[in-house]
Amino acid sequence: WRGGTSDIYVSRRDGGEKPVVLKTFERRGSGFDENYWRFINEEKFTRGINHPGVIVPEKARSSGYGHMFEQGFIQRGSVGDLLESKGVLSMDVSAGIIKQVLDNLRAVHSSGIIHNDIKPDNLLFDENGRVSLIDFGIAYSATDSERSLKPGVPAGSPGFMAPELKTGAAPSVQSDLYSVGVLFALMSGG
């Protein structure tokens, strides 16, 4: 699969039983572009988060394949897949998902990170049905002294981002919570 900043593969380590996800970035051209820094920041921003509902990529070493991160492979699909197959969800199911998303975000925000891209495809179900948060490619450090996005960095995903982000405001805990509200409305009302 090709993501916004990386190519993504399901793989197995030699002799390993469990599949893993490999995210790769191979430098193209003569310089490091904004996509490279988003790719690197994903690992940097998640490094200090220790929560079972937050999927953290880790550096993987492999010669000849550029920069690579490894993370756990979650096979049960995303909230987006669930919405596509079921349509509107019951209030109980929607509320249960939102409660888990908020718990995951509490760990992220407590680490000084704004996810900045809460949407159905970034929420995966693990083998126990627990919701896991992925994709910190456009995350934002709440402690960044500059407090502005670099040119070319998207402020979030259309339809899920808070209105103030469209006018140039910095991502915040409140803008993540706005996205959670949009997600709840989509799940429970279509």
Side-chain angles (χ1 to χ4, degrees):
W1 183 72
R2 182 171 288 249
T5 61
S6 60
D7 293 334
I8 302 166
Y9 303 91
V10 176
S11 184
R12 278 194 173 78
R13 291 187 167 279
D14 285 341
E17 294 179 22
K18 287 185 164 185
V20 296
V21 170
L22 293 178
K23 300 175 93 171
T24 66
F25 184 92
E26 296 183 34
R27 185 173 72 157
R28 296 167 182 92
S30 61
F32 295 107
D33 65 4
E34 190 61 40
N35 284 332
Y36 171 79
W37 294 111
R38 285 188 229 158
F39 180 78
I40 295 300
N41 282 342
E42 183 166 7
E43 188 269 339
K44 179 180 116 181
F45 286 153
T46 58
R47 192 177 300 145
I49 302 171
N50 184 16
H51 188 278
V54 178
I55 304 303
V56 176
E58 297 178 7
K59 289 180 184 174
R61 306 269 186 242
S62 184
S63 62
Y65 293 101
H67 298 281
M68 188 180 313
F69 293 132
E70 178 181 321
Q71 64 188 47
F73 177 54
I74 300 180
Q75 302 182 42
R76 294 210 37 214
S78 69
V79 170
D81 296 331
L82 180 63
L83 288 170
E84 190 174 307
S85 69
K86 302 280 187 194
V88 174
L89 306 178
S90 73
M91 191 60 70
D92 288 343
V93 170
S94 297
I97 291 170
I98 292 299
K99 182 177 178 185
Q100 292 179 65
V101 171
L102 290 172
D103 184 53
N104 297 346
L105 275 177
R106 182 175 354 145
V108 172
H109 294 158
S110 294
S111 297
I113 303 301
I114 309 303
H115 186 275
N116 200 32
D117 202 16
I118 303 298
K119 62 183 180 182
D121 290 338
N122 285 344
L123 300 165
L124 304 180
F125 294 103
D126 70 13
E127 61 278 355
N128 298 315
R130 176 158 172 68
V131 177
S132 298
L133 180 60
I134 64 165
D135 195 357
F136 287 76
I138 61 171
Y140 184 78
S141 172
T143 59
D144 189 344
S145 59
E146 206 171 291
R147 300 292 297 159
S148 64
L149 291 172
K150 295 178 184 172
V153 175
S157 290
F160 291 93
M161 59 193 259
E164 65 271 15
L165 298 180
K166 295 176 187 177
T167 63
S172 64
V173 169
Q174 292 81 0
S175 61
D176 271 358
L177 294 177
Y178 178 92
S179 299
V180 172
V182 173
L183 175 68
F184 185 61
L186 177 66
M187 290 190 302
S188 60

